[in-house]
Amino acid sequence: MATRQPHRDREGSLGGQAVNVPAPSRHTRTALAAEAGVVVNYRTGTTVVLTGDSLARWLGSLERGEAPAPVTVRASEISWGTSESSVRLDLPAPPPWSWRIAATVLLTGTLTARWLGPRRTRFGRLVRLAEAGSALPPPTRAHASLAVRSVRWAARLFPARVACLEESTAAALLLAAGGRGGAWRHGVATDPIRMHAWICDVHGQPIEEPAQTGDYSPINGPEPTSKRYR
């Protein structure tokens, strides 16, 4: 998912090694987790973890730029590597045929958008699709659940990779086609640092997701009105 931006990146320090840090912009999102910061470029998918002086410099640059303010990530319960997660979701009841057909068409479009075009902006293309209906009214839990189940049904027809990003993007498009939006979420969790994308309902609750999704803090959505985070 990550790509490099050699003409825009700056050199930072992480564990004594140099890392490429994307310049702060309206495309970057920052998640603060304990003593580390996760920076994601929503145009290219570039993702880096910053600590120490590199993190302090990054936060200082956010004060002066147009990039959104950081989001504080909830600390996950320390598992010491012993927590268990389901490796698959239960197969849901088949959705109505009209939803299956629409989901198949939109998932086809999502996978096409992923593979056609420059590799460097692949992540950004899917983000734009997923947030296409952000100005629409949010979906009810039943509506959002039907969209997610329909996309998962359609995904069984494709030999291509359909992970959380592709699945949630297609579900967001399906909701937008029905006049509902603002349901796509992309978040960060700790222990270890990881990312996930999902669909939520009108109350912001994850839909058709395992309980572990609650460990993720969304880093997309409406931008904070203030950057006073320190």
Side-chain angles (χ1 to χ4, degrees):
M1 180 180 71
T3 57
R4 296 295 184 187
Q5 301 181 84
H7 63 291
R8 294 185 59 190
D9 293 358
R10 302 178 302 168
E11 290 298 312
S13 174
L14 178 61
Q17 299 179 344
V19 295
N20 289 326
V21 182
S25 73
R26 61 187 178 88
H27 300 296
T28 55
R29 301 294 184 272
T30 305
L32 297 179
E35 300 300 321
V38 181
V39 179
V40 183
N41 187 313
Y42 268 25
R43 185 171 183 269
T44 66
T46 301
T47 303
V48 295
V49 178
L50 302 176
T51 59
D53 292 341
S54 292
L55 177 58
R57 289 195 298 270
W58 174 265
L59 294 178
S61 67
L62 293 185
E63 291 274 9
R64 303 182 295 272
E66 62 176 347
V71 173
T72 299
V73 177
R74 296 185 301 272
S76 301
E77 181 179 354
I78 297 177
S79 66
W80 305 109
T82 61
S83 63
E84 296 182 357
S85 300
S86 175
V87 296
R88 71 174 183 85
L89 297 173
D90 294 333
L91 188 64
W97 271 107
S98 59
W99 283 77
R100 297 189 217 180
I101 294 173
T104 302
V105 171
L106 292 173
L107 182 56
T108 299
T110 297
L111 295 177
T112 300
R114 171 181 170 80
W115 292 109
L116 293 184
R119 180 183 179 88
R120 179 173 177 272
T121 57
R122 178 180 295 171
F123 182 80
R125 291 195 298 274
L126 294 191
V127 169
R128 289 195 297 274
L129 288 177
E131 296 185 333
S134 59
L136 296 172
T140 63
R141 189 168 189 84
H143 196 170
S145 176
L146 188 54
V148 173
R149 290 192 293 109
S150 297
V151 170
R152 287 179 180 165
W153 181 91
R156 297 183 301 166
L157 306 177
F158 291 82
R161 172 183 182 269
V162 181
C164 64
L165 180 59
E166 295 82 9
E167 176 187 287
S168 59
T169 296
L173 287 173
L174 186 55
L175 288 171
R180 293 291 183 267
W184 185 73
R185 294 291 182 270
H186 180 244
V188 174
T190 59
D191 186 36
I193 293 176
R194 58 201 187 278
M195 293 185 290
H196 182 51
W198 68 95
I199 294 294
C200 69
D201 64 10
V202 64
H203 302 295
Q205 297 301 310
I207 295 298
E208 299 292 336
E209 290 283 324
Q212 289 81 7
T213 302
D215 292 339
Y216 293 85
S217 298
I219 61 173
N220 70 313
E223 296 182 8
T225 57
S226 172
K227 290 191 177 182
R228 297 185 179 277
Y229 48 84
R230 290 184 293 179

